Amino acid sequence: MDKHNRKIKKVALIGNPNVGKSVLFSRLTGVRVVVSNYPGTTVEFLEGKMAVGNEFVEVIDVPGTYSLEPSVPAEEVAIKMLDDADMIINVIDSTNLERNLYLTMELLETNHPMIIALNMHDELKHKGITIKEQDLEKLLKVKVIPTSGVTGFGIRELKQALSQAIPGKVKPRTHQQRWEHIGTVIDNVQKLTHRHHTFLEILEDASVNHWWGTVIAVGVIFACFKIVRFIGEGLINNVMEPLFNTVYQPLLVSLSKVLGGDGFLHNILIGKLSAGQIDFQQSMGILTTAPYVELVMVLPYVFSFYLLLSFLEDSGYIPRLALLLDNIMHKLGLHGFAIIPVLLGFGCNVPGIMATRVLESKRERFIASTLISIGVPCAALQAMIVGILGGYGGKYVLFVYGVLFIIWLFIGTAMNYFLKGYSPELFIEIPSYRLPSFRLLRKKIVLRISGFLVEAMPVVLGSVLVINLLQQVRVFEFVSSLFGPVLSFIFGLPKEAVWVLIIGLLRKDIAAGMLIPLGLSMKQLLIACIVLCISFPCIATFAIFLKELGLKRLIQATMIMLGITVVVGGSLNIILH
Amino acid sequence: MRKVNLIKMKTGEKGVIAHIDGGTDLEKRLDVMGVRKEKTITKLSAFVMKGPVAIKSGRTVVALGHGMAAKIWINIIEK
Ligand SMILES: Nc1nc2c(ncn2[C@@H]2O[C@H](COP(=O)(O)OP(=O)(O)OP(=O)(O)O)[C@@H](O)[C@H]2O)c(=O)[nH]1
Ligand SMILES: [Mg+2]
């Protein structure tokens, strides 16, 4: 529809990366979105509705951009959105006014009706900055509203000001002229008072330093592993396990009795009893093993992983990690910033692959996405690996991670060597540290956990149901015998493991859970876990890979996966004993 | 006055950007972030093996690759 004729007006939130557009979007529309303290959190646009008076307008959250001349795909999205918008809210980080005004100058030249949200107002005082908003408004000739996405300050005023949005009516200028104008504006509206460096600022400089930064990074990574494990195990042993055993189990026991302890329905709902008892890890019923795997073994780890990841994201530490890891990542044909998609991939591969949009070239995106789908097990699968192997000793878990890491280095180096082109250099802005807001942290974790449950639970229940049904009709046996010999020849796994790999296509965690009743030896367990990680990713990852990189790249990546799986799984089968 | 590129500049030194070599692309990318000619910057760190360099200009901290850093020329402000 022609934008001049449509009923509902579109308002785009446009601004530099990491200025708080998504927080404001969420405040304005009530739509929950992920926000983090690094440039490039939002990689596609999101829409939501907002009531203004008794009308509705559509608000669009847009990826950040420094300028209307794009340099990465996510920025292109931003600029495309601009054409379609009826109005713009230009969001500015008021603690870095000068730099933010460049985009503002460009926007004023586009003739879109606009207003300005002077965000991060709550941070001005302790940073020793004063901005005369009225003067700024006079100089720019558009409405300026101070806001804070974190406290909610100014949000109502921002909504009201929308009706006063007018075009900037500025003639196109050159870079130089824009900066000259910004210079005058800054001289007139901003005052900085000198103050001593705060502890956070000293830490900021130290953590990008090559010496201190490395020491801090090693400490942070080590602490993260410890904390994730501590919280994860703590929740399993002290909350979920007791809850299942004392509250849930008695219910199931009665149900099992009612169903007569055997038979079709019993097998599907409760599964097989071992020595007359329900065994949550082995019974394989939709009401027993499925919820046990997802809620007791996996959920606590997913929670503790996202708790920590979200904290790191909001603190502003991750871009510093990108700087420190840049050298290593270059060996793999990537640059440091690729650590962000990789970290997200450790939660779930899908957002990880989406986040590769912050990388400049197709080549980098291909390498990063392939590495994520092969060598980065999602939190759910990791929880299962720790749950299955951890009991026998930490060294087995370490072994799996060690093998994955080597595969990672190998594939990355090889792809970097064989793919045409070169990888661009690192180029990122590093934000200041911020104490994460509890409210935003809680929101983000709730968003991620509920997303996880909504996506995982139906698939897990469905998988267990299908497996049980197939067992009843003997297709199970047939497929196992058909492919089983290949599996046992290459990987030394029993023929039932075929189903682990097939279910692994749907979800890795329940697939790993299916390994438990097979009674495998340690060697077989290790091989099965590694093969489960590096062979095909789950179907959701396939889908996003296809959408983001196209069929040709997906086929290439799949060939790499198959090759690596056979070589690594096969070699381990020969080497290990 | 000493003029060096960002690689030769020592960590902790302050200087003024004199010019940026080689293609307008890098210049433009830095320009829109407010890192441009005549701006005072501090070098925060540099990594071995042709690793990246981090600089601070006003309130903006930017990390950039070795090759880019080599193209940015600085007039050092001696203490
Ligand atoms: N103190 C303070 N922090 C804020 C404010 N608004 C946003 N933040 C924080 O700033 C960071 C960036 O917020 P986002 O909403 O993700 O920023 P964005 O502009 O959407 O960023 P991109 O999507 O990466 O372009 C987050 O850590 C927020 O918690 C604010 O008004 N005050
Ligand atoms: Mg955003």
Short mmCIF file of all heavy atoms in Angstrom, two decimals, chain A residues 57-88:
data_model
loop_
_atom_site.label_atom_id
_atom_site.label_comp_id
_atom_site.label_asym_id
_atom_site.label_seq_id
_atom_site.Cartn_x
_atom_site.Cartn_y
_atom_site.Cartn_z
N VAL A 57 -0.80 3.48 16.39
CA VAL A 57 0.26 3.59 15.40
C VAL A 57 1.13 2.35 15.50
O VAL A 57 1.15 1.67 16.53
CB VAL A 57 1.15 4.84 15.60
CG1 VAL A 57 0.36 6.11 15.39
CG2 VAL A 57 1.81 4.81 16.96
N GLU A 58 1.81 2.05 14.40
CA GLU A 58 2.68 0.89 14.41
C GLU A 58 4.10 1.37 14.68
O GLU A 58 4.57 2.30 14.03
CB GLU A 58 2.62 0.24 13.03
CG GLU A 58 3.14 -1.15 13.03
CD GLU A 58 2.72 -1.86 11.75
OE1 GLU A 58 1.55 -2.24 11.65
OE2 GLU A 58 3.57 -1.99 10.86
N VAL A 59 4.74 0.76 15.67
CA VAL A 59 6.10 1.15 15.99
C VAL A 59 7.05 0.06 15.49
O VAL A 59 6.75 -1.12 15.61
CB VAL A 59 6.29 1.35 17.50
CG1 VAL A 59 7.68 1.87 17.81
CG2 VAL A 59 5.24 2.29 18.04
N ILE A 60 8.16 0.47 14.90
CA ILE A 60 9.10 -0.51 14.37
C ILE A 60 10.46 -0.34 15.04
O ILE A 60 11.01 0.76 15.07
CB ILE A 60 9.27 -0.32 12.84
CG1 ILE A 60 7.89 -0.32 12.18
CG2 ILE A 60 10.11 -1.44 12.26
CD1 ILE A 60 7.93 0.36 10.84
N ASP A 61 10.95 -1.44 15.61
CA ASP A 61 12.29 -1.43 16.20
C ASP A 61 13.27 -1.83 15.10
O ASP A 61 13.09 -2.82 14.42
CB ASP A 61 12.35 -2.44 17.35
CG ASP A 61 13.70 -2.42 18.05
OD1 ASP A 61 14.41 -1.40 17.94
OD2 ASP A 61 14.05 -3.42 18.70
N VAL A 62 14.28 -1.02 14.94
CA VAL A 62 15.15 -1.16 13.78
C VAL A 62 16.58 -1.43 14.28
O VAL A 62 16.95 -0.94 15.33
CB VAL A 62 15.09 0.15 12.96
CG1 VAL A 62 16.02 0.11 11.78
CG2 VAL A 62 13.66 0.43 12.51
N PRO A 63 17.38 -2.22 13.54
CA PRO A 63 18.79 -2.37 13.92
C PRO A 63 19.50 -1.01 13.94
O PRO A 63 19.14 -0.12 13.18
CB PRO A 63 19.37 -3.24 12.81
CG PRO A 63 18.21 -3.94 12.21
CD PRO A 63 17.06 -3.00 12.35
N GLY A 64 20.48 -0.88 14.79
CA GLY A 64 21.19 0.39 14.90
C GLY A 64 22.07 0.66 13.70
O GLY A 64 22.53 -0.25 13.04
N THR A 65 22.29 1.93 13.42
CA THR A 65 23.20 2.29 12.33
C THR A 65 23.88 3.62 12.66
O THR A 65 23.29 4.47 13.31
CB THR A 65 22.45 2.36 10.98
OG1 THR A 65 23.39 2.68 9.96
CG2 THR A 65 21.36 3.42 10.99
N TYR A 66 25.13 3.76 12.23
CA TYR A 66 25.85 5.00 12.49
C TYR A 66 25.53 6.07 11.46
O TYR A 66 25.71 7.25 11.68
CB TYR A 66 27.36 4.77 12.49
CG TYR A 66 27.82 3.94 13.66
CD1 TYR A 66 28.20 2.61 13.49
CD2 TYR A 66 27.85 4.48 14.93
CE1 TYR A 66 28.60 1.85 14.56
CE2 TYR A 66 28.26 3.72 16.02
CZ TYR A 66 28.63 2.41 15.83
OH TYR A 66 29.02 1.65 16.90
N SER A 67 25.08 5.58 10.29
CA SER A 67 24.91 6.53 9.20
C SER A 67 23.92 5.93 8.22
O SER A 67 23.58 4.76 8.29
CB SER A 67 26.28 6.75 8.55
OG SER A 67 26.18 6.82 7.16
N LEU A 68 23.43 6.74 7.32
CA LEU A 68 22.49 6.22 6.32
C LEU A 68 23.21 5.59 5.14
O LEU A 68 22.60 5.19 4.16
CB LEU A 68 21.54 7.31 5.86
CG LEU A 68 20.62 7.87 6.97
CD1 LEU A 68 19.69 8.92 6.44
CD2 LEU A 68 19.83 6.75 7.63
N GLU A 69 24.55 5.53 5.23
CA GLU A 69 25.31 4.78 4.23
C GLU A 69 25.76 3.49 4.92
O GLU A 69 26.66 3.51 5.74
CB GLU A 69 26.52 5.60 3.77
CG GLU A 69 26.12 6.86 3.04
CD GLU A 69 27.26 7.88 3.00
OE1 GLU A 69 28.43 7.47 3.02
OE2 GLU A 69 26.96 9.07 2.98
N PRO A 70 25.12 2.34 4.60
CA PRO A 70 25.31 1.12 5.40
C PRO A 70 26.66 0.46 5.18
O PRO A 70 27.26 0.57 4.11
CB PRO A 70 24.21 0.21 4.87
CG PRO A 70 23.99 0.65 3.48
CD PRO A 70 24.24 2.13 3.45
N SER A 71 27.16 -0.26 6.21
CA SER A 71 28.35 -1.07 6.00
C SER A 71 28.19 -2.54 6.39
O SER A 71 29.04 -3.34 6.10
CB SER A 71 29.56 -0.45 6.72
OG SER A 71 29.26 -0.22 8.07
N VAL A 72 27.11 -2.90 7.09
CA VAL A 72 26.83 -4.33 7.33
C VAL A 72 25.35 -4.60 7.01
O VAL A 72 24.55 -3.67 6.99
CB VAL A 72 27.15 -4.76 8.79
CG1 VAL A 72 28.61 -4.69 9.08
CG2 VAL A 72 26.37 -3.92 9.79
N PRO A 73 24.99 -5.90 6.78
CA PRO A 73 23.62 -6.22 6.38
C PRO A 73 22.56 -5.66 7.34
O PRO A 73 21.51 -5.17 6.91
CB PRO A 73 23.59 -7.74 6.39
CG PRO A 73 24.99 -8.16 6.21
CD PRO A 73 25.85 -7.10 6.78
N ALA A 74 22.86 -5.72 8.65
CA ALA A 74 21.86 -5.26 9.62
C ALA A 74 21.58 -3.77 9.43
O ALA A 74 20.47 -3.29 9.62
CB ALA A 74 22.33 -5.54 11.04
N GLU A 75 22.60 -3.02 9.03
CA GLU A 75 22.41 -1.58 8.80
C GLU A 75 21.56 -1.34 7.56
O GLU A 75 20.78 -0.39 7.50
CB GLU A 75 23.75 -0.86 8.67
CG GLU A 75 24.54 -0.82 9.95
CD GLU A 75 25.74 0.12 9.90
OE1 GLU A 75 26.12 0.58 8.80
OE2 GLU A 75 26.30 0.38 10.97
N GLU A 76 21.74 -2.21 6.57
CA GLU A 76 20.91 -2.07 5.37
C GLU A 76 19.44 -2.19 5.70
O GLU A 76 18.60 -1.47 5.18
CB GLU A 76 21.29 -3.13 4.32
CG GLU A 76 22.53 -2.75 3.54
CD GLU A 76 23.08 -3.93 2.76
OE1 GLU A 76 22.29 -4.80 2.36
OE2 GLU A 76 24.30 -3.97 2.55
N VAL A 77 19.13 -3.13 6.62
CA VAL A 77 17.76 -3.31 7.06
C VAL A 77 17.23 -1.98 7.59
O VAL A 77 16.12 -1.54 7.28
CB VAL A 77 17.66 -4.39 8.16
CG1 VAL A 77 16.24 -4.49 8.67
CG2 VAL A 77 18.13 -5.72 7.63
N ALA A 78 18.06 -1.32 8.39
CA ALA A 78 17.66 -0.05 9.01
C ALA A 78 17.31 0.98 7.96
O ALA A 78 16.31 1.70 8.07
CB ALA A 78 18.79 0.47 9.90
N ILE A 79 18.12 1.05 6.93
CA ILE A 79 17.93 2.11 5.96
C ILE A 79 16.72 1.83 5.07
O ILE A 79 15.99 2.74 4.68
CB ILE A 79 19.23 2.31 5.17
CG1 ILE A 79 20.25 2.87 6.18
CG2 ILE A 79 19.07 3.23 4.00
CD1 ILE A 79 21.65 2.52 5.88
N LYS A 80 16.49 0.52 4.80
CA LYS A 80 15.29 0.17 4.04
C LYS A 80 14.03 0.56 4.80
O LYS A 80 13.07 1.05 4.23
CB LYS A 80 15.30 -1.34 3.75
CG LYS A 80 15.72 -1.65 2.33
CD LYS A 80 15.53 -3.12 2.02
CE LYS A 80 16.81 -3.72 1.47
NZ LYS A 80 17.21 -4.95 2.12
N MET A 81 14.05 0.33 6.10
CA MET A 81 12.89 0.65 6.93
C MET A 81 12.54 2.13 6.86
O MET A 81 11.39 2.52 6.93
CB MET A 81 13.17 0.33 8.40
CG MET A 81 12.79 -1.04 8.84
SD MET A 81 11.43 -1.73 7.96
CE MET A 81 10.12 -0.65 8.48
N LEU A 82 13.57 2.91 6.74
CA LEU A 82 13.38 4.35 6.75
C LEU A 82 12.43 4.81 5.65
O LEU A 82 11.55 5.64 5.88
CB LEU A 82 14.76 5.01 6.59
CG LEU A 82 14.80 6.52 6.70
CD1 LEU A 82 14.46 6.93 8.12
CD2 LEU A 82 16.18 7.02 6.34
N ASP A 83 12.60 4.24 4.47
CA ASP A 83 11.77 4.64 3.34
C ASP A 83 10.29 4.39 3.60
O ASP A 83 9.43 5.10 3.11
CB ASP A 83 12.17 3.85 2.08
CG ASP A 83 13.56 4.23 1.65
OD1 ASP A 83 13.96 5.38 1.92
OD2 ASP A 83 14.25 3.38 1.06
N ASP A 84 10.04 3.33 4.38
CA ASP A 84 8.67 2.92 4.58
C ASP A 84 8.00 3.63 5.76
O ASP A 84 6.80 3.52 5.96
CB ASP A 84 8.65 1.40 4.81
CG ASP A 84 7.27 0.83 4.63
OD1 ASP A 84 6.58 1.29 3.68
OD2 ASP A 84 6.87 -0.04 5.42
N ALA A 85 8.79 4.36 6.54
CA ALA A 85 8.25 4.95 7.76
C ALA A 85 7.56 6.29 7.49
O ALA A 85 7.98 7.05 6.63
CB ALA A 85 9.37 5.14 8.77
N ASP A 86 6.47 6.55 8.25
CA ASP A 86 5.81 7.85 8.15
C ASP A 86 6.46 8.86 9.08
O ASP A 86 6.46 10.05 8.82
CB ASP A 86 4.34 7.71 8.53
CG ASP A 86 3.63 6.73 7.63
OD1 ASP A 86 3.42 7.07 6.46
OD2 ASP A 86 3.33 5.61 8.08
N MET A 87 6.95 8.34 10.17
CA MET A 87 7.57 9.21 11.17
C MET A 87 8.79 8.50 11.75
O MET A 87 8.87 7.27 11.75
CB MET A 87 6.59 9.47 12.31
CG MET A 87 5.61 10.57 12.06
SD MET A 87 4.58 10.71 13.50
CE MET A 87 3.27 9.58 13.14
N ILE A 88 9.69 9.30 12.30
CA ILE A 88 10.88 8.72 12.91
C ILE A 88 11.00 9.20 14.35
O ILE A 88 10.79 10.37 14.63
CB ILE A 88 12.15 9.18 12.16
CG1 ILE A 88 12.12 8.75 10.71
CG2 ILE A 88 13.40 8.65 12.85
CD1 ILE A 88 13.22 9.40 9.90
#
